[in-house]
Amino acid sequence: MLHRMLYRTFLRFALAGCVFMSATLAPGYSQQMPTPVENAGAASGTAIADNEFWPGARYDANIPTMKRVLGYAPGEKITSPSDALRYMRALAAAAPDRVKIFDYATSWQGRPLAYAAIGSAENIKKLGEVKAAMQALADPRKTNDAAAALLIDQTPGTAWLGYAVHGNEISTTDAALYTAYHLLAALGDPVTQEIHKNAVVFIDPVQNPDGRARFVSHFENTLGLAPSGSRIAAERREPWPSGRMNHYLFDLNRDWYTQSQPESRGKTAAILDWKPLIVVDLHEMGTDSTYYFAPAAQPLNPHLTEGQLNSVETVGRNNAKWFDRFGFPYFIKDVYDGLYPGYGDTWPAFYGAASLTYEQASPRGLKAQRTDGTGYTYGDAVRNHFVASISTAQTAAAKRKELLATFYDYNKTAVTEGQKEPRKTYIFPARDDSVAAWELAELLTRQGIKVQTAQDDFTSCGKAYKRGAHIVRAAQPAKRLIRTLLDSDSPMDAAFIKEQERRRAKGLGPAVYDVTGWSLPVAHNVDMAVCNAALPVSDTFKPFDTNPAKGVVTGPRAASAYLVEWGNVNAVRFLTHALRDGLHVKSADSAMTIGERTFAAGTLIFETAANDRDLRTRLARIAAHTGANVQALASTWVDAGPSFGGAATPRIDAPNIALAWDAPTDPLKAGATRFVLERRLDYPVTPVRVAHLGDKGLDQFDVLILPGARGRYDTALGTSGTRALQDWVRRGGVLISIAEATRWLANPDTNLLSIRRENAATRGGVPSRGEKAGAFVDGVLLENEAAATKATEPAKERPDPSLGVLGRAQVDADHWLGAGVKPTIATLINGGDIYTPITQDNGVNIARFVGANDLLASGYLWEETAKQFAYKPFVVVERHGDGMVIAFTQDPTFRAQMNGLDILLANAVLRAPAHSRKLR
Ligand SMILES: [Zn+2]
């Protein structure tokens, strides 16, 4: 979770770090361990102790050690993902009655993901009953208090331990392996016995195998005779993009509700299957730190319950007990918040788990050196995570009844609150964008939310709705997830906000780590109505069908052309498949009326004469695959709008798309952009390292996308590279910049954009440095506190960064870049990059933010930041020679969550080359 800290003020973190950094590990760790139980272990095999992780422990020799299977003891090597699963399978082979392995996903690079259920033979035998019991407790509409009491009495506690969601947070996986071994092999240990008797432990040793493999490969490629603890040693400093992310460079610890990645989809489905009482996500943080576990820091998501927070504290307190006993330093309630629902320690809370994050200071290799000169080994880090893992399993066993009762109560109160609260029915009307509504309903269903679809027209809150509308009733166990994902706002604690406003006024950074706005209907741009009355239960509403509709071809067989209406993601996929299939396709720049029917701007045109004989068959195949419908036309006569043979229906050629890759791009942003184009819109892109963008090879590309960056494009490209890029644009290239890349193009030295970034507009009034030359400035009177504060403000500074909100923008419907795009869209507004609007002589503002009062769609935004963003550009286009620059001032592919921006992005990437004058 390292980078979450960047959002937090350094001061606050350093303070937490300092307190514990000075504490050293208590010497004689092994002597402080409880003495092993004397009378145990004599019966089966020779007890061995090949490490000191649980000093004095005696182990069953029938259970294979890591040394026997992998050739090294825990902590001696950084285990690869394939070896991790090999070892888990070896444990299962040795103790098949106490371990069950479940494969749950395959990564993009083809690596298997699996978790193990571990417990006593008796508990593993009745795993099916455990699952059924948890599902019964999770639905109090079917399980009354008496039935629940019986289940609470009989069901073992369950804990889900997830390791290495960030691939370079290495000690977690080896701790997982040792935890599994210890649970199976420890003899006569009272803690293990307690866990066997009363708990089932789920261990997911590698949540992100592709990222971990990347780290391990890099580490092994740079390791020499002896490991180095140096902070600048090559083995401990990863090259771009690091092993943190998965193949598409997603931070999987932000993907729990978006579920765009196979690793997240498989994991969330598995977790919802078992509904474990405790879910822990194990991480690593900065090398200088110590150990962190929940309770989490403010701000907390308002939909977490008190019972749940108490359960979290129970887990934390037991960890503290062990850490105190062993003299391991730790901290709680700092840095890691619980507001955003996409983390591994928040999303499981919304089915009722006590969910927590653990963070171990990262050795980032086999040896680590702190800045204060102290050090620790990989084995130390593995040991800490192992102890926390065993402690957690112990809590699941010892406190199982309280945890089960809290879980049942969580689900029960969710239903009753859903019955009482004003937001009783969420409705997604059946309108033109049924595809987006379907996708949203499917995403909700996947997370355990019951969605229904109207089979007939109905009314709700006095409004009429057509059949095909999807509805979500709040009175269900998933109520709190429904509210956090669908409501426009999940408000932070008022006192917390007040404190942040106070800090901001003093120029201190706000203590919010991630985005504050994520509402799914806003991000997907899906219409939603909320009614304060419950809809009657009737045959009108049937469970949502998760099978997507297949598109078909309709109209005369002797067709002269076929149309696919533009405006939803299925149509975009239709276009990309058609282009990849080599079909001849045109697109209308504005709306057309043909007979009775109007087709939206952007509609795709396939002319029979321009294509091969099997056109209809091929269109039918693409329609079935993508879900988009095709309309056959007997005649190409257009009653209103552009004719097929005119200039306003340009041909779309399959563009060659390059995407800037490697430093200085931000791997998260480069990865998300690549993912959205390749896996959402189904079109391949070629990643090109920034250092090579000035090469001749760029000529074979029609489009170049510059994603958001952490470093500077100008230093990476140099003067000659920049000039080559400018020439490429003038010769007809389409250059698309996103977020920080737009900064570079708008810099006067680059001069590929005429817009400029703004300083904060609200400062000034007080004469201060810079306004007058010379040693003296005009004197001023500071008459009150406010004036005094004002006088400390810099005369010129960047606008205060927005804390990741969703904001509304208006689209220019007259421009082909706006074709098929809804008139109002929402985008993430992150950071403080605010640009001047483009002037008419230089280009067009394709999308601009709306007025300050209507701007905010989801999250928390500073008032003056909203005022300054108002009416400023989100997307502009500017022509240069035969080519053009399309600039996004904010990232439309953020975490692959902004489905509502698909069409705008597709227009820029696929349609723009048809409007450039590149010689082909
Ligand atoms: Zn992490």
Side-chain angles (χ1 to χ4, degrees):
M1 271 198 203
L2 280 172
H3 90 266
R4 250 215 269 177
M5 277 177 230
L6 299 178
Y7 290 85
R8 166 75 78 170
T9 64
F10 176 72
L11 182 74
R12 194 175 156 116
F13 174 67
L15 200 68
C18 288
V19 172
F20 299 106
M21 257 155 51
S22 57
T24 47
L25 289 188
Y29 157 70
S30 62
Q31 278 106 55
Q32 296 190 28
M33 292 296 292
T35 45
V37 176
E38 291 295 337
N39 61 356
S44 57
T46 320
I48 51 162
D50 65 354
N51 56 71
E52 283 293 288
F53 281 23
W54 197 259
R58 293 144 55 81
Y59 290 116
D60 181 350
N62 294 314
I63 303 299
T65 60
M66 280 175 69
K67 181 112 187 162
R68 202 194 303 168
V69 178
L70 303 178
Y72 52 88
E76 278 181 11
K77 265 191 80 172
I78 301 163
T79 304
S80 72
S82 56
D83 279 351
L85 282 196
R86 189 155 65 88
Y87 183 62
M88 293 299 285
R89 293 193 207 279
L91 292 177
D97 57 336
R98 291 182 290 149
V99 188
K100 283 266 171 296
I101 306 254
F102 299 85
D103 287 276
Y104 73 82
T106 304
S107 74
W108 290 113
Q109 293 176 11
R111 293 186 173 84
L113 286 90
Y115 65 91
I118 297 179
S120 65
E122 194 189 335
N123 281 337
I124 291 300
K125 204 167 145 191
K126 63 172 193 185
L127 268 183
E129 287 168 48
V130 174
K131 185 189 285 186
M134 291 309 296
Q135 295 297 345
L137 290 170
D139 197 345
R141 294 166 303 180
K142 295 176 186 158
T143 309
N144 63 26
D145 288 0
L150 211 62
L151 291 170
I152 289 166
D153 195 50
Q154 293 168 351
T155 308
T158 43
W160 179 284
L161 307 172
Y163 302 82
V165 70
H166 293 141
N168 59 1
E169 297 177 1
I170 42 184
S171 63
T172 56
T173 294
D174 284 286
L177 304 187
Y178 198 72
T179 302
Y181 169 73
H182 182 84
L183 287 175
L184 293 166
L187 295 170
D189 171 48
V191 174
T192 314
Q193 285 167 344
E194 183 181 20
I195 295 167
H196 282 169
K197 187 157 180 274
N198 289 318
V200 173
V201 182
F202 297 94
I203 292 179
D204 180 355
V206 193
Q207 298 178 65
N208 175 9
D210 292 352
R212 186 174 180 90
R214 192 183 307 129
F215 179 91
V216 170
S217 159
H218 155 76
F219 184 77
E220 289 178 349
N221 281 326
T222 43
L223 191 64
L225 178 62
S228 172
S230 163
R231 302 173 84 85
I232 57 168
E235 73 209 46
R236 300 186 66 246
R237 288 296 283 265
E238 298 169 84
W240 192 100
S242 92
R244 177 183 175 89
M245 296 77 77
N246 76 344
H247 173 74
Y248 272 104
L249 307 185
F250 273 67
D251 183 335
L252 294 177
N253 195 33
R254 302 294 184 279
D255 194 46
W256 285 69
Y257 70 80
T258 310
Q259 302 182 358
S260 63
Q261 304 301 301
E263 297 92 340
S264 314
R265 286 191 184 202
K267 175 171 61 190
T268 48
I271 288 179
L272 284 181
D273 212 17
W274 296 102
K275 300 211 158 140
L277 292 167
I278 301 172
V279 174
V280 179
D281 210 25
L282 291 96
H283 293 255
E284 283 182 356
M285 56 185 164
T287 298
D288 272 343
S289 197
T290 57
Y291 199 94
Y292 162 87
F293 44 79
Q298 282 281 349
L300 296 177
N301 189 290
H303 301 294
L304 302 175
T305 70
E306 207 171 319
Q308 209 163 26
L309 296 174
N310 288 339
S311 295
V312 165
E313 183 156 338
T314 302
V315 179
R317 281 187 183 275
N318 197 56
N319 293 349
K321 190 187 78 185
W322 285 105
F323 275 56
D324 285 344
R325 184 176 304 179
F326 299 155
F328 303 161
Y330 64 90
F331 68 92
I332 55 170
K333 294 188 186 179
D334 200 1
V335 184
Y336 304 105
D337 72 325
L339 180 71
Y340 181 68
Y343 303 135
D345 67 352
T346 46
W347 186 87
F350 294 107
Y351 72 79
S355 53
L356 302 87
T357 288
Y358 296 172
E359 299 267 356
Q360 158 67 38
S362 182
R364 221 37 122 232
L366 290 173
K367 255 177 95 173
Q369 216 171 283
R370 291 193 183 89
T371 40
D372 69 359
T374 61
Y376 53 97
T377 65
Y378 185 58
D380 294 335
V382 172
R383 178 204 59 207
N384 292 355
H385 267 327
F386 158 72
V387 169
S389 300
I390 295 296
S391 164
T392 306
Q394 184 188 26
T395 305
K399 303 287 181 183
R400 66 171 190 91
K401 284 192 185 176
E402 291 94 314
L403 292 166
L404 286 161
T406 303
F407 177 80
Y408 175 67
D409 183 62
Y410 174 95
N411 286 289
K412 199 174 147 180
T413 52
V415 175
T416 50
E417 285 171 16
Q419 285 162 347
K420 283 182 207 148
E421 287 170 4
R423 304 177 75 82
K424 290 191 178 63
T425 312
Y426 294 77
I427 303 164
F428 305 102
R431 295 217 181 117
D432 44 61
D433 200 359
S434 59
V435 176
W438 185 90
E439 281 198 332
L440 177 57
E442 197 269 340
L443 177 57
L444 298 178
T445 305
R446 232 191 290 145
Q447 342 203 9
I449 294 172
K450 294 278 176 283
V451 182
Q452 294 177 311
T453 305
Q455 310 297 310
D456 294 304
D457 297 354
F458 65 99
T459 54
S460 168
C461 277
K463 278 193 199 146
Y465 294 95
K466 296 265 176 234
R467 67 188 289 263
H470 306 298
I471 66 152
V472 174
R473 301 169 190 274
Q476 58 173 298
K479 184 225 86 167
R480 298 183 183 98
L481 183 63
I482 292 167
R483 292 218 42 196
T484 198
L485 294 183
L486 297 185
D487 288 0
S488 63
D489 199 18
S490 292
M492 293 179 278
D493 181 65
F496 178 82
I497 290 182
K498 206 174 156 199
E499 169 65 7
Q500 301 322 306
E501 291 282 8
R502 187 191 70 80
R503 291 177 60 84
R504 197 169 66 92
K506 282 192 77 175
L508 301 170
V512 181
Y513 330 81
D514 209 276
V515 299
T516 61
W518 54 78
S519 170
L520 287 180
V522 177
H524 291 210
N525 214 357
V526 170
D527 292 331
M528 181 179 78
V530 184
C531 177
N532 60 8
L535 280 165
V537 175
S538 78
D539 286 346
T540 303
F541 304 103
K542 291 265 159 62
F544 170 73
D545 181 0
T546 54
N547 295 306
K550 285 192 157 116
V552 291
V553 182
T554 49
R557 287 208 71 85
S560 53
Y562 296 86
L563 301 186
V564 175
E565 188 162 32
W566 197 240
N568 60 58
V569 72
N570 287 355
V572 177
R573 290 190 192 118
F574 195 102
L575 173 60
T576 55
H577 282 265
L579 291 173
R580 293 171 72 187
D581 209 18
L583 296 185
H584 183 288
V585 55
K586 290 175 167 179
S587 165
D589 282 350
S590 44
M592 301 177 292
T593 306
I594 299 169
E596 301 284 283
R597 196 171 156 191
T598 301
F599 293 88
T603 289
L604 307 176
I605 304 161
F606 298 87
E607 290 162 307
T608 307
N611 281 287
D612 291 341
R613 282 170 175 277
D614 59 350
L615 177 63
R616 192 180 183 109
T617 316
R618 289 163 81 180
L619 292 175
R621 198 168 52 225
I622 300 173
H625 182 75
T626 61
N629 290 315
V630 182
Q631 177 66 50
L633 301 175
S635 156
T636 60
W637 178 270
V638 175
D639 295 295
S643 290
F644 298 175
T649 54
R651 177 175 178 183
I652 300 183
D653 286 300
N656 277 329
I657 301 174
L659 171 70
W661 202 245
D662 210 331
T665 73
D666 181 335
L668 294 167
K669 293 176 180 173
T673 300
R674 188 179 190 186
F675 172 82
V676 169
L677 292 171
E678 292 200 337
R679 301 295 178 170
R680 191 163 159 70
L681 307 185
D682 291 353
Y683 200 78
V685 300
T686 303
V688 177
R689 296 186 204 288
V690 173
H692 298 144
L693 287 180
D695 292 5
K696 270 203 160 49
L698 194 62
D699 282 349
Q700 55 183 273
F701 293 98
D702 307 292
V703 178
L704 168 62
I705 303 171
L706 304 176
R710 288 181 181 171
R712 295 177 55 151
Y713 276 104
D714 54 353
T715 30
L717 259 166
T719 320
S720 63
T722 304
R723 201 173 306 129
L725 202 60
Q726 288 162 337
D727 288 347
W728 175 80
V729 173
R730 288 193 186 100
R731 281 183 281 116
V734 174
L735 182 61
I736 299 174
S737 68
I738 296 176
E740 293 87 356
T742 297
R743 282 185 198 170
W744 176 51
L745 301 189
N747 187 308
D749 294 339
T750 320
N751 209 25
L752 277 165
L753 274 174
S754 58
I755 58 173
R756 295 288 178 262
R757 260 200 303 166
E758 296 183 351
N759 279 313
T762 52
R763 307 301 195 216
V766 179
S768 79
R769 68 191 157 82
E771 282 193 21
K772 296 245 178 205
F776 294 93
V777 298
D778 297 341
V780 290
L781 298 176
L782 300 178
E783 289 171 342
N784 50 41
E785 277 291 336
T789 303
K790 194 102 187 139
T792 64
E793 290 170 353
K796 283 182 180 169
E797 62 174 4
R798 316 257 9 110
D800 278 332
S802 144
L803 304 173
V805 302
L806 300 180
R808 295 187 184 90
Q810 226 173 333
V811 178
D812 181 347
D814 292 329
H815 198 277
W816 52 264
L817 271 168
V821 183
K822 284 192 181 177
T824 305
I825 52 178
T827 180
L828 180 83
I829 299 180
N830 217 358
D833 285 6
I834 303 174
Y835 290 84
T836 56
I838 202 162
T839 54
Q840 288 169 12
D841 51 336
N842 283 313
V844 181
N845 296 290
I846 299 299
R848 53 171 206 177
F849 295 108
V850 301
N853 291 339
D854 302 316
L855 179 69
L856 184 65
S858 178
Y860 185 79
L861 186 59
W862 319 119
E863 197 185 332
E864 66 265 34
T865 307
K867 281 182 179 158
Q868 198 174 339
F869 264 108
Y871 306 112
K872 301 292 166 58
F874 165 45
V875 183
V876 302
V877 61
E878 181 165 340
R879 285 195 175 272
H880 288 271
D882 289 338
M884 73 184 85
V885 173
I886 301 170
F888 288 78
T889 63
Q890 297 285 336
D891 191 348
T893 62
F894 176 73
R895 292 179 189 166
Q897 292 181 7
M898 304 305 302
N899 291 8
L901 298 174
D902 285 340
I903 313 300
L904 187 55
L905 183 70
N907 285 346
V909 173
L910 302 169
R911 200 179 288 276
H915 288 271
S916 89
R917 292 187 288 269
K918 186 180 179 181
L919 217 53
R920 289 192 177 82

